[in-house]
Amino acid sequence: MKEVILDTETTGLSVSEGHRIVEIGCIELNDLIPTNNRFHCYLNPERKVSEKAFEVHGYSDEFLSTQKKFSEVVDDFLTFIDNKRLVIHNAEFDLSHLNNELALLGKKKLNNENVID
């Protein structure tokens, strides 16, 4: 069975306050053994990073302003995770941000049935 260990970093804690994703990192496992397949990107959130988020990840507004937007990587990301179980620490947080990014682009939400927290 293929799984993806997934993590995100964001501009802050709350989607309802307009916070966005600044980094997505994924490692693929096949029967619990890491493959060489990885997905990683920094993202331009098109907004400022909160001070608390900066203290956690250290990504400056200047650095992030030079990165691709989620709309530019979404298809590659969705292809990478397609038909794989997602393993996410604090899944509710990451999924809320990922689903918000997808909604902003008019795309379907991720299927939570294939997620392990």
Side-chain angles (χ1 to χ4, degrees):
M1 170 190 282
K2 290 199 176 179
E3 298 175 307
V4 171
I5 310 300
L6 184 148
D7 190 32
T8 66
E9 295 296 340
T10 63
T11 60
L13 295 176
S14 177
V15 170
S16 65
E17 293 177 13
H19 288 289
R20 307 279 304 272
I21 295 176
V22 299
E23 183 181 25
I24 302 171
C26 300
I27 299 172
E28 182 187 74
L29 305 177
N30 190 17
D31 294 327
L32 302 176
I33 298 172
T35 70
N36 288 327
N37 295 329
R38 296 193 163 117
F39 179 90
H40 178 262
C41 62
Y42 298 107
L43 297 167
N44 177 348
E46 303 179 87
R47 64 158 290 155
K48 299 233 178 254
V49 173
S50 72
E51 287 183 33
K52 291 198 182 256
F54 179 77
E55 289 173 12
V56 172
H57 55 60
Y59 304 140
S60 69
D61 294 326
E62 182 179 5
F63 168 73
L64 294 171
S65 71
T66 66
Q67 305 305 311
K68 291 181 179 180
K69 296 176 184 173
F70 186 77
S71 62
E72 297 174 85
V73 303
V74 65
D75 292 333
D76 291 337
F77 171 68
L78 292 174
T79 297
F80 185 84
I81 65 170
D82 190 41
N83 293 318
K84 298 171 187 164
R85 178 182 291 156
L86 300 179
V87 180
I88 309 170
H89 173 69
N90 196 9
E92 184 178 339
F93 176 84
D94 289 341
L95 288 174
S96 70
H97 281 84
L98 287 166
N99 284 329
N100 179 63
E101 296 289 348
L102 292 167
L104 291 172
L105 299 176
K107 296 195 176 277
K108 289 180 8 180
K109 290 183 176 186
L110 296 177
N111 180 354
N112 295 2
E113 293 175 13
N114 292 325
V115 176
I116 294 176
D117 190 343

